[in-house]
Amino acid sequence: MTKKEIRTKVKELYKTHKSDGDWKKIYSLEQYKNSPLIMAYIPSGGEADCIPLIKKAMEENKTVCLPKVISGTSFMDFYILNNSVPLEEQLEKGAFGILEPVCTLPLFDVEKNTKKLFMVVPGVAFTAGGKRCGHGKGFYDIYIEKLRNTGSEIFLCGFCNSFQIFEDIPCEAFDVLMNIVIF
């Protein structure tokens, strides 16, 4: 199947399957437990819900960052949440109508990152071995490459529902593989 066909199939599957992504599996990973910095996402259509994980990380006083698309580009930045303010009060509708952090939050400075980080990566589909099919815009591939170029110690956790696991997904040279996929 092509990535376009996979995206169409998953869109159809969402009509007949309920979300079953289990964020607690992420919470139990040693890499999550040992990371002071968690990068996650607010789910949009076709993505597993990791909001409970975000709230748990905030309660644990971890540094939690969420992405915001830079309008009109193929780039995004991450913003640092304030753990003493409810998550919902730190979000607004952004690009593509997706909830994103308000731009008054501190910008995560990739160049000054000295921490180990754990990134929960959304996707339309994954393989159990770590291949990922996103929405086709390249936002995560570009950002992860930027992080890697700074020497950041990054653990990539793909997160999806069980019906989003495919036996194989075509990959390009720029496609980033996940360290683990949780479904």
Side-chain angles (χ1 to χ4, degrees):
M1 294 178 87
T2 67
K3 285 186 178 182
K4 184 177 181 180
E5 291 169 334
I6 289 170
R7 289 182 188 107
T8 301
K9 182 171 178 75
V10 170
K11 189 175 183 180
E12 288 300 312
L13 288 170
Y14 255 97
K15 293 177 183 176
T16 58
H17 291 72
K18 67 177 194 150
S19 184
D20 64 0
D22 187 359
W23 66 270
K24 291 178 184 136
K25 290 179 183 176
I26 297 173
Y27 180 68
S28 68
L29 294 171
E30 284 303 314
Q31 294 88 346
Y32 169 86
K33 291 177 184 176
N34 295 328
S35 181
L37 183 90
I38 307 298
M39 299 180 117
Y41 63 91
I42 299 296
S44 65
E47 296 171 345
D49 185 4
C50 66
I51 290 176
L53 177 72
I54 293 167
K55 290 181 177 181
K56 182 75 172 164
M58 290 172 70
E59 288 171 13
E60 294 174 333
N61 211 28
K62 290 183 181 273
T63 300
V64 181
C65 301
L66 296 177
K68 184 176 191 70
V69 170
I70 301 169
S71 186
T73 73
S74 294
F75 302 103
M76 64 182 177
D77 283 321
F78 277 75
Y79 287 80
I80 302 168
L81 297 177
N82 181 335
N83 290 346
S84 62
V85 176
L87 174 63
E88 295 76 14
E89 292 178 24
Q90 299 182 71
L91 302 174
E92 64 186 0
K93 281 210 178 195
F96 311 109
I98 299 169
L99 287 176
E100 297 180 332
V102 296
C103 57
T104 55
L105 291 169
L107 179 66
F108 174 75
D109 189 340
V110 173
E111 300 299 324
K112 293 184 180 176
N113 175 44
T114 57
K115 299 178 182 177
K116 286 195 294 187
L117 60 93
F118 184 98
M119 180 182 276
V120 183
V121 183
V124 173
F126 293 89
T127 66
K131 291 182 180 178
R132 174 181 172 270
C133 175
H135 293 283
K137 304 289 186 201
F139 289 108
Y140 276 87
D141 294 319
I142 292 167
Y143 195 83
I144 291 166
E145 187 63 27
K146 186 176 173 182
L147 281 171
R148 286 186 171 157
N149 287 339
T150 68
S152 295
E153 188 178 332
I154 178 172
F155 187 86
L156 301 173
C157 176
F159 183 51
C160 66
N161 299 297
S162 60
F163 60 87
Q164 292 174 273
I165 294 292
F166 284 68
E167 191 165 313
D168 196 27
I169 292 173
C171 276
E172 306 294 331
F174 56 81
D175 288 329
V176 176
L177 291 176
M178 303 293 104
N179 295 101
I180 193 169
V181 176
I182 300 293
F183 55 95

